[in-house]
Amino acid sequence: MTADIHPTPSLQGGAEDQAVAVLRAYYAPLSGPSTGFSGGQFDSFDPSGTRADSVDVFTAEDLIAVSLLSVHVTGRAALELLDRQQAHFSTLLRQVGQDRNLVEVTSTDPDPFPARALNDALRGLPGVGPTTASKLLARKRPQLIPIYDSVIDKHLLRGSGKLWEPLRLALRADDRRLHRHLIELRDAARLGEHVSAIRVLDVLAWMDGTGNTERVMRGGPVVAPDVPIGT
């Protein structure tokens, strides 16, 4: 990884078995109060079956989906996204372009962060901070936009607050070694292609940073499956 991305234990070389075990625990079915994580449903949440037809519009299901990751979209922000400014946000989503792997974004692109304008607009909504904005973005472009929160900032970024460009560079370094490693972990955990490479990294870093990895590896119950991490 680059100097700005610091691998947590499950992302380090030789920790493949641990990483797979942690991924399987995170994505385990929700069969009790201390099994599985609601966030494990985020990647596939589509009860109405209309997600594929709404890639360029924020929906009520998107707001429910991000709640699975322990954030809350305020009522005022929901009104803007779903009604008053729906057309504006749809225009910004279309400008981001189709979903694609972050590793494919090159430094020769006009703006290496194609969702900058959309991120700024989301951050301008009442109660929407960097964490909620990143999760809304990740909901609409899961392969392109990584999730940012206080756990990721502390443990993967060492407090730099900068994720997009360092992660893009890390994914592309050494003939895309990190990107390929994340895909291999996903496949070994049998998660399916709907879970993106950057989501695998997010889950492993978050599980490590919250102490849930240690609980999984000890074989004990997960006592804090959903940790509030701010807006």
Side-chain angles (χ1 to χ4, degrees), residues 26 33-39 70 206-207 212 215 222-227:
Y26 184 86
S34 61
T35 59
F37 290 71
S38 66
S70 301
W206 187 85
M207 290 286 280
N212 281 307
R215 299 184 185 102
V222 177
V223 298
D226 297 298
V227 178

Side-chain angles (χ1 to χ4, degrees), residues 176-195:
R176 304 184 177 188
R177 180 173 61 88
L178 174 59
H179 177 81
R180 288 185 283 105
H181 179 60
L182 295 170
I183 295 299
E184 289 168 359
L185 292 176
R186 180 194 70 187
D187 292 346
R190 300 180 181 179
L191 298 183
E193 294 184 359
H194 65 284
V195 178

